[in-house]
Amino acid sequence: MSAARRLLRFNPRLLQSRTNKRTAAVTGAAATPPHTSVGNAVLFSGSAQCRRPEGRVTVHFINRDGQKITTSGAEGDSLLDVVVDQKLDIPGYGACEGTLACSTCHLILEQEVYDQLGHIIDEEQDMLDLAYGLTETSRLGCQVCLSRSLEGATVRVPAGLFDMRRADSSGSSSSA
Amino acid sequence: MLLMTCKPDRATLKYRFCQWSVCGRAPFSSCSPKVCIVGAGPAGFYTAQHLIKSRQDVEVDIYERLPVPFGLVRFGVAPDHPEVKNVINTFTQTAQHSRCSFYGNVNVGTDVSVKELQQAYHAVVLSYGAEGNRRMGVPGEDLAGVHAAKDFVGWYNGLPDNRKLHPDLSCETAVILGQGNVALDVARILLSPMDMLKKTDITQPALDLLAESRIRRVLIVGRRGPMQIACTIKEVREMVNLPDTRPEMVAADFKGIAEAVKEVPRPRKRLTELLLKTALDVPTEKEQEKRSKASRVWGFRFFRSPVEVLPAPDLSRAAAIRLAVNRLEGSGEGASAVPTGEVEDVPCGLVISSIGYKSLPIDPLLPFDSRKAIVPNTMGRVQKTAGVYCSGWLKTGPTGVIGTTMNNSFDTARALLEDMDSGALDVSSAKPGSQGVTPLLEKRGVKPVEFSDWEKIDNEEIKRGVAMGKPREKLLSVDEMLHVART
């Protein structure tokens, strides 16, 4: 089963995002190859000039080692979709495949972007509670969908992607 | 300068190249380092994944006692949490990688020794988790009607060793000792409506028994107070929202909590606020209606420790549990429970002890810390044992979810890779890998189950599940699994 179909099956909220993606595909939007940025120099992995067709939103990921990855996704794609579709190198990202059962897709947003995204449902807050390095502008990547207003946003992958439910919490037991 | 040497590699007869090191130092061979991993649960798979991804030459073989992989993802995760099992997809990709092989039905410790694995591989990673339980250590613990949560969970999840558990669910009240997420899983499975459970991959025998269950009240008991509860908010919210149930808490247990909660970190704060709301707030009209119609009850009981399981008059089974009443000394996560001398008896017919899993030693030659029940290690490197590593619960103790294990395993893999790079782990001489192990197994009459054989079992389970309206109907015995695997 493709990543997209698995996400759809477990997270109805993404239904709209998949519809938008199909619309984008039909209008002839081609995938933009990701390119990485090393300091200020930008190295293009694909053609010298990346076409940015309509319906695509550019986002920058700052990986754990400080490396900046500039990539894009279709409007309506979640940030998890972008990581998966563009095969970004973030080990262990999105373990539960977008079903609000882990916190491994945790990302730190810019304040303005965080503010404009608005209300966070309890189920996401519950998983964020367990995210390592939680900040005031943290979100789960599987719950943030791309829109025009996210164009050019920068998101940061936090230092350690593990839940707070770990061995050194006193008395905590396990489950999954 | 490149020196080409040819080394036959496994049945495919692929040839590998060795390299001279730069600077004219003595040459070292970096061809196909071979690593074996003991245990095919999340720890084993995440360790394998990280190794394979980080070096293009490393080959990983995963040995597993059961014919089926995935460990607690298959046997521990609750049936009504299927999304947590999505990690199986990434583990399947790893198992299907050309440099990874799965050998099921091989018991390391009895079918092959760790020493033999050390001879065949450059490195051995122990990731076999925690098969044992922490015992309560109280009289009456072995009466009928008392079960370890690990065994109860294994029973409803189809672990072959637990298929004959046949718990007696004819009593009205069940008491669970421990308030971690496993305790909440057990409570939820005991109280969930059949309509919900019958669509999951819970085993049919468990479903049939639960359909006849007369349990109407489940108490989840902890030594300390509401602010020390070990479970997480998602699982508490599931209890609060469980259809046809109502919560029953003791208001006095929450004295002083509303003030104390203001100063604590966010996760503890949100969890405690939910507990306070559930225990003390006047419910909404809708919630009140739900509670008045509910046929089943659940509740947390705080400041209580088990001291004895009391038998029925004919001494055949549990009829009540005697609990010591505690008071709290200190506050916050480090607060301790101190007995007051008072005791309280709670009549019940089912006692589930959910106070922790426990790792067991599999080889007397390996170091083992019996107090902490882990293999002593530094960053995953087993102490005093070169070439042996550990990951997962065996490394840190049996707590944490899959995400925790993932990071834990990545850390071990990183340590192993560092050792390969630095030379601390010598990978210069060729090792036979599985070719050094399979002849031993054959001689001992052990036939490994390969990943493609597991896929036959998988397909059979899914096929049987379709007939039952479930995602899968698990095979319940090793014999049945082997039968399907060999067909």
Side-chain angles (χ1 to χ4, degrees):
Chain A
M1 193 186 286
S2 71
R5 283 178 55 213
R6 282 199 297 276
L7 288 167
L8 183 55
R9 189 161 150 215
F10 291 114
N11 192 342
R13 270 178 193 83
L14 293 180
L15 177 62
Q16 194 52 45
S17 84
R18 303 322 302 177
T19 310
N20 290 343
K21 190 176 176 109
R22 283 197 295 277
T23 310
V26 159
T27 59
T32 308
H35 46 277
T36 54
S37 171
V38 180
N40 291 320
V42 175
L43 308 167
F44 286 84
S45 62
S47 53
Q49 186 181 18
C50 289
R51 196 163 64 89
R52 213 158 280 141
E54 266 173 53
R56 294 201 69 83
V57 176
T58 298
V59 282
H60 311 279
F61 284 78
I62 312 261
N63 211 338
R64 268 184 242 123
D65 54 8
Q67 192 189 41
K68 184 174 176 183
I69 306 165
T70 297
T71 184
S72 67
E75 276 190 68
D77 281 355
S78 71
L79 291 173
L80 171 59
D81 289 334
V82 174
V83 172
V84 168
D85 293 344
Q86 301 298 337
K87 297 186 178 34
L88 300 191
D89 185 18
I90 310 175
Y93 194 84
C96 77
E97 299 179 4
T99 56
L100 287 174
C102 76
S103 59
T104 60
C105 69
H106 172 207
L107 292 168
I108 300 169
L109 310 186
E110 298 158 308
Q111 186 70 56
E112 321 79 65
V113 173
Y114 178 84
D115 290 340
Q116 91 196 25
L117 287 172
H119 178 67
I120 304 175
I121 59 171
D122 278 340
E123 287 77 8
E124 182 183 347
Q125 297 281 29
D126 290 352
M127 287 298 112
L128 278 170
D129 277 358
L130 310 175
Y132 184 73
L134 187 67
T135 69
E136 299 288 314
T137 59
S138 286
R139 291 294 304 264
L140 294 184
C142 67
Q143 300 301 302
V144 176
C145 290
L146 296 181
S147 63
R148 284 268 130 250
S149 53
L150 256 64
E151 173 65 33
T154 299
V155 301
R156 228 173 359 110
V157 179
L161 288 179
F162 56 94
D163 286 4
M164 290 299 277
R165 288 177 284 190
R166 56 176 196 242
D168 57 2
S169 301
S170 57
S172 47
S173 64
S174 65
S175 171
Chain B
M1 193 166 115
L2 272 176
L3 177 78
M4 310 292 198
T5 44
C6 296
K7 284 190 174 26
D9 176 68
R10 301 206 251 189
T12 61
L13 290 180
K14 245 195 291 199
Y15 290 87
R16 304 267 179 195
F17 299 105
C18 301
Q19 295 168 303
W20 289 102
S21 67
V22 186
C23 307
R25 271 178 281 149
F28 73 97
S29 153
S30 64
C31 44
S32 48
K34 294 190 168 67
V35 178
C36 90
I37 296 182
V38 180
F45 271 106
Y46 276 128
T47 308
Q49 203 174 83
H50 199 87
L51 289 171
I52 289 171
K53 185 178 165 217
S54 306
R55 274 183 74 130
Q56 297 311 302
D57 57 353
V58 87
E59 290 169 18
V60 179
D61 292 339
I62 307 178
Y63 291 87
E64 162 61 46
R65 173 176 74 87
L66 291 169
V68 299
F70 310 134
L72 284 178
V73 179
R74 178 180 165 97
F75 296 116
V77 175
D80 58 350
H81 286 168
E83 61 284 343
V84 178
K85 302 190 201 196
N86 284 344
V87 288
I88 286 178
N89 298 324
T90 187
F91 297 162
T92 298
Q93 278 192 317
T94 299
Q96 291 171 337
H97 194 285
S98 58
R99 286 184 284 119
C100 184
S101 297
F102 169 76
Y103 295 96
N105 195 42
V106 178
N107 190 318
V108 174
T110 56
D111 296 337
V112 61
S113 69
V114 173
K115 184 161 176 216
E116 286 165 336
L117 291 178
Q118 284 177 281
Q119 283 162 352
Y121 292 91
H122 294 104
V124 175
V125 183
L126 306 171
S127 312
Y128 62 81
E131 279 183 284
N133 297 304
R134 279 187 66 205
R135 283 179 61 85
M136 288 190 281
V138 303
E141 187 161 9
D142 296 312
L143 281 169
V146 184
H147 302 284
K150 181 184 88 59
D151 295 336
F152 193 79
V153 170
W155 167 71
Y156 65 62
N157 273 337
L159 185 63
D161 283 347
N162 295 134
R163 74 191 183 283
K164 302 210 164 97
L165 201 83
H166 214 83
D168 185 342
L169 306 180
S170 60
C171 53
E172 199 212 337
T173 300
V175 170
I176 304 174
L177 286 323
Q179 294 174 326
N181 286 336
V182 177
L184 265 65
D185 279 355
V186 170
R188 204 173 63 250
I189 296 299
L190 283 173
L191 294 177
S192 282
M194 283 301 113
D195 279 345
M196 282 168 63
L197 286 181
K198 71 182 188 200
K199 296 177 198 157
T200 70
D201 66 3
I202 194 169
T203 67
Q204 199 57 35
L207 199 59
D208 291 342
L209 211 73
L210 285 163
E212 304 299 311
S213 166
R214 298 223 283 270
I215 293 177
R216 294 290 173 268
R217 189 160 158 259
V218 176
L219 300 178
I220 309 165
V221 178
R223 290 175 299 175
R224 301 185 294 169
M227 291 190 69
Q228 288 75 40
I229 203 170
C231 57
T232 49
I233 192 171
K234 173 174 185 263
E235 284 72 15
V236 173
R237 212 183 281 288
E238 284 173 329
M239 288 308 299
V240 171
N241 294 336
L242 197 58
D244 194 30
T245 66
R246 62 176 172 84
E248 178 196 272
M249 314 268 208
V250 174
D253 284 348
F254 291 86
K255 190 159 160 244
I257 299 295
E259 292 73 49
V261 81
K262 293 172 185 154
E263 303 302 315
V264 298
R266 173 191 147 136
R268 179 58 72 190
K269 184 160 191 253
R270 290 186 74 243
L271 171 55
T272 311
E273 282 170 349
L274 179 59
L275 291 171
L276 278 167
K277 179 175 170 200
T278 308
L280 302 179
D281 279 10
V282 173
T284 62
E285 206 178 302
K286 189 167 163 210
E287 174 66 19
Q288 187 51 46
E289 203 192 327
K290 179 195 175 207
R291 291 187 189 185
S292 60
K293 290 190 179 145
S295 66
R296 297 173 175 196
V297 176
W298 67 278
F300 290 118
R301 289 290 181 274
F302 296 100
F303 311 109
R304 301 287 185 274
S305 299
V307 290
E308 189 173 348
V309 179
L310 303 171
D314 67 0
L315 303 182
S316 66
R317 50 177 307 102
I321 185 159
R322 179 157 290 164
L323 302 171
V325 178
N326 300 324
R327 60 175 176 80
L328 217 56
E329 219 164 63
S331 65
E333 312 297 329
S336 52
V338 177
T340 59
E342 269 185 68
V343 294
E344 182 183 83
D345 290 352
V346 178
C348 59
L350 183 69
V351 175
I352 306 277
S353 155
S354 185
I355 58 173
Y357 288 46
K358 196 164 90 166
S359 290
L360 306 172
I362 57 167
D363 190 309
L365 294 178
L366 288 173
F368 191 81
D369 180 336
S370 10
R371 193 181 61 85
K372 290 188 197 165
I374 58 169
V375 170
N377 69 91
T378 314
M379 313 254 285
R381 296 175 176 98
V382 175
Q383 285 174 8
K384 302 193 185 111
T385 320
V388 182
Y389 301 77
C390 56
S391 66
W393 282 1
L394 188 61
K395 173 183 171 191
T396 55
T399 67
V401 293
I402 294 176
T404 327
T405 296
M406 176 174 79
N407 282 275
N408 164 327
S409 305
F410 286 175
D411 283 345
T412 294
R414 268 191 282 269
L416 206 167
L417 291 163
E418 250 173 51
D419 291 352
M420 279 190 197
D421 287 344
S422 71
L425 186 66
D426 181 15
V427 296
S428 59
S429 50
K431 289 260 194 175
S434 60
Q435 291 188 316
V437 175
T438 41
L440 294 173
L441 296 174
E442 207 179 308
K443 214 164 43 172
R444 295 164 190 170
V446 176
K447 192 159 182 282
V449 169
E450 296 181 10
F451 202 74
S452 52
D453 298 325
W454 146 248
E455 284 166 338
K456 289 187 218 158
I457 297 172
D458 189 28
N459 290 335
E460 178 62 25
E461 290 185 342
I462 292 172
K463 187 170 122 199
R464 292 187 189 188
V466 167
M468 313 290 292
K470 295 156 87 172
R472 70 175 59 239
E473 187 57 54
K474 289 177 184 169
L475 301 186
L476 299 178
S477 71
V478 169
D479 283 345
E480 223 188 336
M481 291 173 185
L482 291 175
H483 175 75
V484 170
R486 311 283 184 227
T487 311

